[in-house]
Amino acid sequence: MELQQAPPRQTSTTRHDARREVVRHLDRLRPQVIMPARGFIRYPYCIPGGFYEQQWDWDGFFISCHLASRDPARPEYLKYWTLNVLNSVLPDGDVAACISTEGVRARLPSLRLKPFLAQGAELAGRLGGDDSWLVPHYDEIVRIVTRREASHRDAATGLYAWEDAMSSGADNNVAVTNDPEARRKMAAADVNAFQYREYEALSRLADRLGHAEDARRFATMASKLSAAMMKHLWSPDDVSFWTMDLRDGTWRRRVSYSNFVPLWAGLVPRVHAREMIRRYLWNADHLLSPHGLRSLSARDPDYNNVNMIDPHSNWQGPIWPIVNYFYFTALVRYGFADEAEELVDRLCRLYLDDIEFCGSLHENYDAETGRPLAPSADQSATGREGGFVGWNLLLQDMIEVVEGREHPLFI
């Protein structure tokens, strides 16, 4: 199967100008994501923007990663993110996905921390050149990262499951489902890839802190989880990962963004990853749109671009910048340089249209028209309010990568 042909390319001058214009606006918008310590939150923290004033788990992680890659680098925000998480552990040992100035679980109280803590802690120490602050927190980081083994790991397969789609962060992702009967039974590719990265990060951190036995143990756990994913979630015939329903061992064959997260994590042999990208990602019948890459295949019966934020956001088709960051990393990692550059240029046009529309950005976009969706501030009579900045800032990192910068986040 040939790769989907892209629209005519911009000239190099136009491309350069568009990228510089996007960077100029992101530089202007970036201060909106940084908040001073206040109330319950002890350290400065990162917010998505709009009406979101809380520290969210993966939002805060990826925003802090972006800040750590700036010139000058700001790795302290990964440290602050880590410490704010550690300072919010509940009496029962659980950790919430959302921390507000009023306390833990002030918004969406049932959501628990997604698997990013070890990655944030390890990266903060490494990029900041200082692991000393992590020494007194090491045991607690290990406890939190491995806590999921007792609650969300399937003993028979060795796979991890989400609580439900809402807990995955992709609120209505059809590859997971919010069906109460399927609670903790959807072993999706994304949660297992995130957990794999957690074990890798724990192994590196343990090694640096002098816990050699732990370093070997966590490296082994990462290796076993990778093998379990390839055994139980990878379909050689379909050339894709699928979610496994642990109740009966069947696959949910839905071409969703979550199936591609293992490519972001570097878990897939090159030959398989390249075919998966050709078959589903860079293919207009599935995920490729004129404005970026969809969160769900256009062929899926549930595919839509509904403008929704209540009771949850829509991950059933719209273009999400964070999703495109995962896709972009896969394109770069597996040798699709031209496609990665084309994706950057499509997203630059999308951003510039939105900035012209409202002066800022939105959480997601209609994959067919490029129209901004899900405003993240109180809508005015015109509906022109935007204000979501957050992990949308990662487009600047993507621009830097295609322009040849050695980038600390692409590890």
Side-chain angles (χ1 to χ4, degrees), residues 92-95 105 110-115 143-168 176-177 182-193 195-196 199 225 228 233 244-246:
D92 65 359
D94 202 1
V95 186
R105 289 184 165 166
S110 65
L111 299 188
R112 62 178 290 160
L113 184 76
K114 288 181 273 298
R143 184 195 69 78
I144 292 170
V145 172
T146 58
R147 189 172 189 267
R148 200 175 281 266
E149 294 168 17
S151 58
H152 291 73
R153 181 178 179 272
D154 176 61
T157 62
L159 296 171
Y160 290 81
W162 288 119
E163 188 83 8
D164 52 24
M166 279 293 294
S167 71
S168 77
V176 181
T177 182
R183 181 173 175 265
R184 299 188 185 181
K185 297 300 181 183
M186 294 291 108
D190 52 356
V191 66
N192 285 282
Q195 191 70 28
Y196 166 85
Y199 287 139
L225 182 53
L233 302 183
M244 174 175 280
D245 187 333
L246 296 172

Side-chain angles (χ1 to χ4, degrees), residues 56-71:
W56 291 87
D57 50 5
W58 67 334
D59 299 72
F61 170 77
F62 283 110
I63 298 166
S64 298
C65 284
H66 167 78
L67 294 174
S69 67
R70 295 304 86 223
D71 186 13

Side-chain angles (χ1 to χ4, degrees), residues 251-311:
W251 281 329
R252 291 176 65 86
R253 286 184 165 89
R254 314 296 288 268
V255 181
S256 161
Y257 109 90
S258 59
N259 303 335
F260 283 84
V261 176
L263 279 67
W264 165 75
L267 280 167
V268 190
R270 185 177 179 85
V271 63
H272 298 327
R274 287 181 62 84
E275 179 57 26
M276 186 178 176
I277 289 169
R278 291 189 182 100
R279 186 175 297 195
Y280 303 107
L281 187 60
W282 208 258
N283 181 341
D285 290 338
H286 286 292
L287 296 172
L288 180 65
S289 100
H291 310 285
L293 289 159
R294 303 177 176 101
S295 49
L296 182 66
S297 169
R299 287 186 178 179
D300 194 281
D302 288 317
Y303 174 76
N304 71 86
N305 285 278
V306 172
N307 188 1
M308 180 193 312
I309 199 166
D310 186 18

Side-chain angles (χ1 to χ4, degrees), residues 75-337:
E76 69 269 24
Y77 282 94
L78 276 166
K79 176 180 178 179
Y80 298 152
W81 176 85
T82 302
L83 291 173
N84 283 330
V85 169
L86 292 171
N87 287 332
S88 64
V89 178
L90 295 164
D92 65 359
D94 202 1
V95 186
C98 176
I99 310 167
S100 81
T101 56
E102 289 76 39
V104 182
R105 289 184 165 166
R107 183 179 171 90
L108 297 176
S110 65
L111 299 188
R112 62 178 290 160
L113 184 76
K114 288 181 273 298
F116 286 99
L117 178 59
Q119 296 170 72
E122 189 275 330
L123 193 56
R126 176 155 48 88
L127 296 182
D130 176 22
D131 288 327
S132 62
W133 63 274
L134 286 164
V135 173
H137 300 292
Y138 173 76
D139 289 341
E140 180 71 342
I141 291 170
V142 170
R143 184 195 69 78
I144 292 170
V145 172
T146 58
R147 189 172 189 267
R148 200 175 281 266
E149 294 168 17
S151 58
H152 291 73
R153 181 178 179 272
D154 176 61
T157 62
L159 296 171
Y160 290 81
W162 288 119
E163 188 83 8
D164 52 24
M166 279 293 294
S167 71
S168 77
D171 302 359
N172 61 351
N173 184 359
V174 299
V176 181
T177 182
N178 282 310
D179 181 356
E181 298 296 322
R183 181 173 175 265
R184 299 188 185 181
K185 297 300 181 183
M186 294 291 108
D190 52 356
V191 66
N192 285 282
F194 294 149
Q195 191 70 28
Y196 166 85
R197 292 269 297 212
E198 286 288 272
Y199 287 139
E200 278 201 321
L202 274 184
S203 179
R204 290 193 296 269
L205 183 59
D207 183 63
R208 294 208 306 265
L209 296 182
H211 300 284
E213 184 175 343
D214 278 0
R216 290 190 292 271
R217 175 165 65 96
F218 293 129
T220 298
M221 293 172 74
S223 178
K224 288 182 176 179
L225 182 53
S226 174
M229 291 175 66
M230 294 304 296
K231 178 179 180 179
H232 297 292
L233 302 183
W234 176 258
S235 168
D237 294 336
D238 299 320
V239 196
S240 183
F241 288 96
W242 303 122
T243 297
M244 174 175 280
D245 187 333
L246 296 172
R247 294 171 294 182
D248 57 13
T250 59
W251 281 329
R252 291 176 65 86
R253 286 184 165 89
R254 314 296 288 268
V255 181
S256 161
Y257 109 90
S258 59
N259 303 335
F260 283 84
V261 176
L263 279 67
W264 165 75
L267 280 167
V268 190
R270 185 177 179 85
V271 63
H272 298 327
R274 287 181 62 84
E275 179 57 26
M276 186 178 176
I277 289 169
R278 291 189 182 100
R279 186 175 297 195
Y280 303 107
L281 187 60
W282 208 258
N283 181 341
D285 290 338
H286 286 292
L287 296 172
L288 180 65
S289 100
H291 310 285
L293 289 159
R294 303 177 176 101
S295 49
L296 182 66
S297 169
R299 287 186 178 179
D300 194 281
D302 288 317
Y303 174 76
N304 71 86
N305 285 278
V306 172
N307 188 1
M308 180 193 312
I309 199 166
D310 186 18
H312 48 64
S313 299
N314 186 12
W315 294 70
Q316 294 180 356
I319 293 168
W320 284 78
I322 183 62
V323 167
N324 279 256
Y325 173 76
F326 288 126
Y327 291 148
F328 172 83
T329 307
L331 290 171
V332 171
R333 187 184 294 279
Y334 292 104
F336 291 93

